[in-house]
Amino acid sequence: MANAPFNVMIVGQAGRLQYEALLFAASLRHCSPGFAGRLFVAVPQPGPLWDKDPSIGNRDVLQALADLGAEILPFESNAFGAAYPYGNKIEALQALPEGEPFVFFDSDTLITGELSDVPFDFSRPSASLRVEGTWPKPTLYGPGYARIWKALYDRFGLDFPSSLDLSQPDEFWKRYLYFNAGFFYGACPRAFGSRFLDYAQSVRNDPPQELAGQSLDPWLDQIVLPLVIHSFGGGRDALPAGYLDGATSCHYRLFPLLYARESDRVVEVLHEVAAPNRIKKVLKGYEPAKRMIFQGRGEKVRALFDRENLPRREQAIRNRIKSEGFWMR
């Protein structure tokens, strides 16, 4: 399934994500004219798992998305909802066209190159390796990484040894298959999503004993994602480096972090796609975009940091921005 046509899905909903979805769509059209698939903005619908309407009601946002060729994809929240909004990316997969390869991106992503040039092999799914060792956090008296991860693989009848990176030391987090869920892809969204949902509910509702004392929120999607990818024959080496989270996409997460640490190319794309009046007038309804992009606060944040010598820990970057009074989300 290498070089197969594919669809792209992001999640959009009321609040911040609707504006991020607009920027994503604008960057896709601007930087990837060769993309011939469909762009879906998956939107959760009101229901008992939401305490307020999560859908996009802003007509200007909806019109701008339509002008960019994005298709609104309503879906129901039956498992997660407001209690775990990261579950949107799991449940929304069931609404995508069955049997058509897909790539999911978090909405706080910019496309910065030609997406159709990325050498996806949809028969071998993978996900973002722009990740830190955020989970698990083994305790002093154990169990360690190996026992925790093996318990999860055993729960679903998966082969644990074949998931290991034996070039990494025992009990070092990089030895164990772990992804950021900022992007992932596969051959069929419904098959992938069904397994993702089954695994996530199993771990949430009945975690293995070895997970006692480990936090599942907000990490549940990233705990389960490697298991799903491994179960479909994918892995850490399925996608050549340098494309996603590289020359072709940037998962910036928040505007202050984008200006602080991302490349000049990413900032250039952000300003280019936000500049047209039809986009700008909508984005100005979102305070962080108004202040950071259009009123110059982002450039003030950028001037605080040397991209060649950034603090090693993200928290240090956040703290510096906050101390200068420039933090927004």
PDB file of all heavy atoms in Angstrom, residues 93-118:
ATOM      1  N   LEU A  93     -12.245   7.998  14.348  1.00  0.00           N
ATOM      2  CA  LEU A  93     -11.786   7.124  13.260  1.00  0.00           C
ATOM      3  C   LEU A  93     -12.915   6.283  12.681  1.00  0.00           C
ATOM      4  O   LEU A  93     -12.903   5.940  11.497  1.00  0.00           O
ATOM      5  CB  LEU A  93     -10.660   6.216  13.772  1.00  0.00           C
ATOM      6  CG  LEU A  93      -9.337   6.902  14.120  1.00  0.00           C
ATOM      7  CD1 LEU A  93      -8.407   5.940  14.840  1.00  0.00           C
ATOM      8  CD2 LEU A  93      -8.661   7.462  12.868  1.00  0.00           C
ATOM      9  N   GLN A  94     -13.894   5.952  13.522  1.00  0.00           N
ATOM     10  CA  GLN A  94     -15.005   5.113  13.046  1.00  0.00           C
ATOM     11  C   GLN A  94     -15.883   5.814  12.015  1.00  0.00           C
ATOM     12  O   GLN A  94     -16.652   5.171  11.301  1.00  0.00           O
ATOM     13  CB  GLN A  94     -15.866   4.672  14.234  1.00  0.00           C
ATOM     14  CG  GLN A  94     -15.175   3.733  15.194  1.00  0.00           C
ATOM     15  CD  GLN A  94     -14.812   2.408  14.533  1.00  0.00           C
ATOM     16  OE1 GLN A  94     -15.611   1.815  13.828  1.00  0.00           O
ATOM     17  NE2 GLN A  94     -13.589   1.960  14.741  1.00  0.00           N
ATOM     18  N   ALA A  95     -15.768   7.157  11.931  1.00  0.00           N
ATOM     19  CA  ALA A  95     -16.601   7.909  10.994  1.00  0.00           C
ATOM     20  C   ALA A  95     -15.933   8.100   9.634  1.00  0.00           C
ATOM     21  O   ALA A  95     -16.581   8.544   8.688  1.00  0.00           O
ATOM     22  CB  ALA A  95     -16.947   9.274  11.594  1.00  0.00           C
ATOM     23  N   LEU A  96     -14.662   7.751   9.512  1.00  0.00           N
ATOM     24  CA  LEU A  96     -13.956   7.892   8.242  1.00  0.00           C
ATOM     25  C   LEU A  96     -14.360   6.791   7.260  1.00  0.00           C
ATOM     26  O   LEU A  96     -14.844   5.727   7.661  1.00  0.00           O
ATOM     27  CB  LEU A  96     -12.446   7.835   8.482  1.00  0.00           C
ATOM     28  CG  LEU A  96     -11.784   9.077   9.075  1.00  0.00           C
ATOM     29  CD1 LEU A  96     -10.324   8.780   9.400  1.00  0.00           C
ATOM     30  CD2 LEU A  96     -11.881  10.261   8.133  1.00  0.00           C
ATOM     31  N   PRO A  97     -14.127   7.009   5.963  1.00  0.00           N
ATOM     32  CA  PRO A  97     -14.484   5.990   4.964  1.00  0.00           C
ATOM     33  C   PRO A  97     -13.728   4.688   5.194  1.00  0.00           C
ATOM     34  O   PRO A  97     -12.500   4.680   5.300  1.00  0.00           O
ATOM     35  CB  PRO A  97     -14.077   6.641   3.638  1.00  0.00           C
ATOM     36  CG  PRO A  97     -14.109   8.109   3.897  1.00  0.00           C
ATOM     37  CD  PRO A  97     -13.670   8.263   5.323  1.00  0.00           C
ATOM     38  N   GLU A  98     -14.454   3.613   5.248  1.00  0.00           N
ATOM     39  CA  GLU A  98     -13.867   2.301   5.517  1.00  0.00           C
ATOM     40  C   GLU A  98     -12.944   1.874   4.391  1.00  0.00           C
ATOM     41  O   GLU A  98     -13.231   2.063   3.206  1.00  0.00           O
ATOM     42  CB  GLU A  98     -14.973   1.263   5.702  1.00  0.00           C
ATOM     43  CG  GLU A  98     -14.482  -0.097   6.140  1.00  0.00           C
ATOM     44  CD  GLU A  98     -15.610  -1.033   6.517  1.00  0.00           C
ATOM     45  OE1 GLU A  98     -16.780  -0.698   6.251  1.00  0.00           O
ATOM     46  OE2 GLU A  98     -15.324  -2.106   7.084  1.00  0.00           O
ATOM     47  N   GLY A  99     -11.811   1.290   4.756  1.00  0.00           N
ATOM     48  CA  GLY A  99     -10.897   0.723   3.781  1.00  0.00           C
ATOM     49  C   GLY A  99     -10.026   1.719   3.041  1.00  0.00           C
ATOM     50  O   GLY A  99      -9.232   1.326   2.187  1.00  0.00           O
ATOM     51  N   GLU A 100     -10.137   3.017   3.366  1.00  0.00           N
ATOM     52  CA  GLU A 100      -9.321   4.025   2.692  1.00  0.00           C
ATOM     53  C   GLU A 100      -8.194   4.466   3.627  1.00  0.00           C
ATOM     54  O   GLU A 100      -8.460   4.863   4.758  1.00  0.00           O
ATOM     55  CB  GLU A 100     -10.175   5.228   2.291  1.00  0.00           C
ATOM     56  CG  GLU A 100     -11.262   4.878   1.270  1.00  0.00           C
ATOM     57  CD  GLU A 100     -12.068   6.101   0.833  1.00  0.00           C
ATOM     58  OE1 GLU A 100     -11.643   7.246   1.131  1.00  0.00           O
ATOM     59  OE2 GLU A 100     -13.117   5.905   0.186  1.00  0.00           O
ATOM     60  N   PRO A 101      -6.944   4.372   3.179  1.00  0.00           N
ATOM     61  CA  PRO A 101      -5.826   4.754   4.057  1.00  0.00           C
ATOM     62  C   PRO A 101      -6.002   6.165   4.606  1.00  0.00           C
ATOM     63  O   PRO A 101      -6.570   7.042   3.943  1.00  0.00           O
ATOM     64  CB  PRO A 101      -4.608   4.662   3.135  1.00  0.00           C
ATOM     65  CG  PRO A 101      -5.000   3.664   2.099  1.00  0.00           C
ATOM     66  CD  PRO A 101      -6.461   3.880   1.868  1.00  0.00           C
ATOM     67  N   PHE A 102      -5.502   6.371   5.809  1.00  0.00           N
ATOM     68  CA  PHE A 102      -5.708   7.646   6.494  1.00  0.00           C
ATOM     69  C   PHE A 102      -4.425   8.075   7.193  1.00  0.00           C
ATOM     70  O   PHE A 102      -3.579   7.261   7.559  1.00  0.00           O
ATOM     71  CB  PHE A 102      -6.819   7.515   7.541  1.00  0.00           C
ATOM     72  CG  PHE A 102      -6.385   6.759   8.764  1.00  0.00           C
ATOM     73  CD1 PHE A 102      -5.916   7.417   9.898  1.00  0.00           C
ATOM     74  CD2 PHE A 102      -6.386   5.357   8.776  1.00  0.00           C
ATOM     75  CE1 PHE A 102      -5.474   6.708  11.015  1.00  0.00           C
ATOM     76  CE2 PHE A 102      -5.945   4.650   9.887  1.00  0.00           C
ATOM     77  CZ  PHE A 102      -5.489   5.330  11.017  1.00  0.00           C
ATOM     78  N   VAL A 103      -4.306   9.383   7.382  1.00  0.00           N
ATOM     79  CA  VAL A 103      -3.300   9.959   8.262  1.00  0.00           C
ATOM     80  C   VAL A 103      -4.034  10.894   9.221  1.00  0.00           C
ATOM     81  O   VAL A 103      -4.770  11.780   8.777  1.00  0.00           O
ATOM     82  CB  VAL A 103      -2.213  10.745   7.503  1.00  0.00           C
ATOM     83  CG1 VAL A 103      -1.140  11.236   8.476  1.00  0.00           C
ATOM     84  CG2 VAL A 103      -1.591   9.896   6.405  1.00  0.00           C
ATOM     85  N   PHE A 104      -3.848  10.689  10.505  1.00  0.00           N
ATOM     86  CA  PHE A 104      -4.401  11.586  11.511  1.00  0.00           C
ATOM     87  C   PHE A 104      -3.323  12.550  11.973  1.00  0.00           C
ATOM     88  O   PHE A 104      -2.170  12.163  12.192  1.00  0.00           O
ATOM     89  CB  PHE A 104      -4.906  10.807  12.729  1.00  0.00           C
ATOM     90  CG  PHE A 104      -5.160  11.701  13.926  1.00  0.00           C
ATOM     91  CD1 PHE A 104      -6.345  12.387  14.043  1.00  0.00           C
ATOM     92  CD2 PHE A 104      -4.182  11.890  14.899  1.00  0.00           C
ATOM     93  CE1 PHE A 104      -6.568  13.252  15.111  1.00  0.00           C
ATOM     94  CE2 PHE A 104      -4.393  12.738  15.972  1.00  0.00           C
ATOM     95  CZ  PHE A 104      -5.595  13.426  16.078  1.00  0.00           C
ATOM     96  N   PHE A 105      -3.697  13.831  12.114  1.00  0.00           N
ATOM     97  CA  PHE A 105      -2.828  14.831  12.723  1.00  0.00           C
ATOM     98  C   PHE A 105      -3.574  15.514  13.855  1.00  0.00           C
ATOM     99  O   PHE A 105      -4.777  15.814  13.728  1.00  0.00           O
ATOM    100  CB  PHE A 105      -2.427  15.918  11.714  1.00  0.00           C
ATOM    101  CG  PHE A 105      -1.478  15.479  10.636  1.00  0.00           C
ATOM    102  CD1 PHE A 105      -1.954  15.129   9.383  1.00  0.00           C
ATOM    103  CD2 PHE A 105      -0.106  15.447  10.860  1.00  0.00           C
ATOM    104  CE1 PHE A 105      -1.080  14.748   8.375  1.00  0.00           C
ATOM    105  CE2 PHE A 105       0.770  15.061   9.859  1.00  0.00           C
ATOM    106  CZ  PHE A 105       0.287  14.710   8.610  1.00  0.00           C
ATOM    107  N   ASP A 106      -2.872  15.829  14.946  1.00  0.00           N
ATOM    108  CA  ASP A 106      -3.433  16.746  15.921  1.00  0.00           C
ATOM    109  C   ASP A 106      -3.666  18.080  15.232  1.00  0.00           C
ATOM    110  O   ASP A 106      -2.890  18.486  14.354  1.00  0.00           O
ATOM    111  CB  ASP A 106      -2.483  16.931  17.107  1.00  0.00           C
ATOM    112  CG  ASP A 106      -2.703  15.903  18.211  1.00  0.00           C
ATOM    113  OD1 ASP A 106      -3.760  15.231  18.213  1.00  0.00           O
ATOM    114  OD2 ASP A 106      -1.824  15.774  19.081  1.00  0.00           O
ATOM    115  N   SER A 107      -4.706  18.782  15.674  1.00  0.00           N
ATOM    116  CA  SER A 107      -5.069  20.042  15.015  1.00  0.00           C
ATOM    117  C   SER A 107      -4.000  21.116  15.187  1.00  0.00           C
ATOM    118  O   SER A 107      -3.872  22.014  14.354  1.00  0.00           O
ATOM    119  CB  SER A 107      -6.415  20.540  15.537  1.00  0.00           C
ATOM    120  OG  SER A 107      -6.358  20.748  16.930  1.00  0.00           O
ATOM    121  N   ASP A 108      -3.199  21.026  16.259  1.00  0.00           N
ATOM    122  CA  ASP A 108      -2.145  22.013  16.492  1.00  0.00           C
ATOM    123  C   ASP A 108      -0.875  21.642  15.709  1.00  0.00           C
ATOM    124  O   ASP A 108       0.221  21.527  16.255  1.00  0.00           O
ATOM    125  CB  ASP A 108      -1.860  22.175  17.983  1.00  0.00           C
ATOM    126  CG  ASP A 108      -1.651  20.849  18.709  1.00  0.00           C
ATOM    127  OD1 ASP A 108      -1.764  19.785  18.070  1.00  0.00           O
ATOM    128  OD2 ASP A 108      -1.388  20.885  19.925  1.00  0.00           O
ATOM    129  N   THR A 109      -1.071  21.462  14.407  1.00  0.00           N
ATOM    130  CA  THR A 109      -0.018  21.061  13.477  1.00  0.00           C
ATOM    131  C   THR A 109      -0.085  21.965  12.256  1.00  0.00           C
ATOM    132  O   THR A 109      -1.179  22.371  11.846  1.00  0.00           O
ATOM    133  CB  THR A 109      -0.211  19.599  13.041  1.00  0.00           C
ATOM    134  OG1 THR A 109      -0.130  18.737  14.186  1.00  0.00           O
ATOM    135  CG2 THR A 109       0.831  19.160  12.020  1.00  0.00           C
ATOM    136  N   LEU A 110       1.049  22.278  11.684  1.00  0.00           N
ATOM    137  CA  LEU A 110       1.109  22.956  10.394  1.00  0.00           C
ATOM    138  C   LEU A 110       1.757  22.032   9.374  1.00  0.00           C
ATOM    139  O   LEU A 110       2.751  21.357   9.681  1.00  0.00           O
ATOM    140  CB  LEU A 110       1.942  24.239  10.485  1.00  0.00           C
ATOM    141  CG  LEU A 110       1.352  25.411  11.272  1.00  0.00           C
ATOM    142  CD1 LEU A 110       2.373  26.530  11.374  1.00  0.00           C
ATOM    143  CD2 LEU A 110       0.053  25.911  10.646  1.00  0.00           C
ATOM    144  N   ILE A 111       1.195  21.996   8.182  1.00  0.00           N
ATOM    145  CA  ILE A 111       1.839  21.310   7.067  1.00  0.00           C
ATOM    146  C   ILE A 111       2.792  22.308   6.425  1.00  0.00           C
ATOM    147  O   ILE A 111       2.401  23.429   6.076  1.00  0.00           O
ATOM    148  CB  ILE A 111       0.798  20.799   6.051  1.00  0.00           C
ATOM    149  CG1 ILE A 111      -0.147  19.800   6.729  1.00  0.00           C
ATOM    150  CG2 ILE A 111       1.491  20.148   4.855  1.00  0.00           C
ATOM    151  CD1 ILE A 111       0.521  18.585   7.343  1.00  0.00           C
ATOM    152  N   THR A 112       4.045  21.917   6.278  1.00  0.00           N
ATOM    153  CA  THR A 112       5.083  22.836   5.812  1.00  0.00           C
ATOM    154  C   THR A 112       5.756  22.368   4.523  1.00  0.00           C
ATOM    155  O   THR A 112       6.691  23.012   4.046  1.00  0.00           O
ATOM    156  CB  THR A 112       6.152  23.015   6.900  1.00  0.00           C
ATOM    157  OG1 THR A 112       6.660  21.730   7.283  1.00  0.00           O
ATOM    158  CG2 THR A 112       5.561  23.696   8.132  1.00  0.00           C
ATOM    159  N   GLY A 113       5.290  21.251   3.964  1.00  0.00           N
ATOM    160  CA  GLY A 113       5.854  20.721   2.728  1.00  0.00           C
ATOM    161  C   GLY A 113       4.823  19.880   1.998  1.00  0.00           C
ATOM    162  O   GLY A 113       3.665  19.795   2.410  1.00  0.00           O
ATOM    163  N   GLU A 114       5.249  19.244   0.914  1.00  0.00           N
ATOM    164  CA  GLU A 114       4.322  18.469   0.089  1.00  0.00           C
ATOM    165  C   GLU A 114       4.014  17.115   0.735  1.00  0.00           C
ATOM    166  O   GLU A 114       4.857  16.214   0.758  1.00  0.00           O
ATOM    167  CB  GLU A 114       4.929  18.264  -1.307  1.00  0.00           C
ATOM    168  CG  GLU A 114       4.027  17.501  -2.270  1.00  0.00           C
ATOM    169  CD  GLU A 114       2.636  18.101  -2.361  1.00  0.00           C
ATOM    170  OE1 GLU A 114       2.503  19.199  -2.934  1.00  0.00           O
ATOM    171  OE2 GLU A 114       1.680  17.460  -1.845  1.00  0.00           O
ATOM    172  N   LEU A 115       2.801  16.991   1.251  1.00  0.00           N
ATOM    173  CA  LEU A 115       2.410  15.786   1.974  1.00  0.00           C
ATOM    174  C   LEU A 115       2.373  14.562   1.060  1.00  0.00           C
ATOM    175  O   LEU A 115       2.640  13.440   1.506  1.00  0.00           O
ATOM    176  CB  LEU A 115       1.043  16.013   2.625  1.00  0.00           C
ATOM    177  CG  LEU A 115       0.593  15.021   3.696  1.00  0.00           C
ATOM    178  CD1 LEU A 115       1.570  14.961   4.856  1.00  0.00           C
ATOM    179  CD2 LEU A 115      -0.813  15.378   4.202  1.00  0.00           C
ATOM    180  N   SER A 116       2.054  14.778  -0.198  1.00  0.00           N
ATOM    181  CA  SER A 116       1.973  13.637  -1.121  1.00  0.00           C
ATOM    182  C   SER A 116       3.343  13.032  -1.417  1.00  0.00           C
ATOM    183  O   SER A 116       3.432  11.938  -1.981  1.00  0.00           O
ATOM    184  CB  SER A 116       1.299  14.061  -2.432  1.00  0.00           C
ATOM    185  OG  SER A 116       2.061  15.053  -3.092  1.00  0.00           O
ATOM    186  N   ASP A 117       4.419  13.708  -1.045  1.00  0.00           N
ATOM    187  CA  ASP A 117       5.763  13.161  -1.247  1.00  0.00           C
ATOM    188  C   ASP A 117       6.218  12.273  -0.086  1.00  0.00           C
ATOM    189  O   ASP A 117       7.277  11.648  -0.175  1.00  0.00           O
ATOM    190  CB  ASP A 117       6.779  14.299  -1.422  1.00  0.00           C
ATOM    191  CG  ASP A 117       6.631  15.028  -2.749  1.00  0.00           C
ATOM    192  OD1 ASP A 117       5.986  14.466  -3.659  1.00  0.00           O
ATOM    193  OD2 ASP A 117       7.140  16.162  -2.865  1.00  0.00           O
ATOM    194  N   VAL A 118       5.476  12.249   0.998  1.00  0.00           N
ATOM    195  CA  VAL A 118       5.863  11.438   2.151  1.00  0.00           C
ATOM    196  C   VAL A 118       5.684   9.956   1.794  1.00  0.00           C
ATOM    197  O   VAL A 118       4.589   9.552   1.361  1.00  0.00           O
ATOM    198  CB  VAL A 118       5.031  11.796   3.391  1.00  0.00           C
ATOM    199  CG1 VAL A 118       5.409  10.910   4.578  1.00  0.00           C
ATOM    200  CG2 VAL A 118       5.212  13.271   3.746  1.00  0.00           C
TER     201      VAL A 118
END
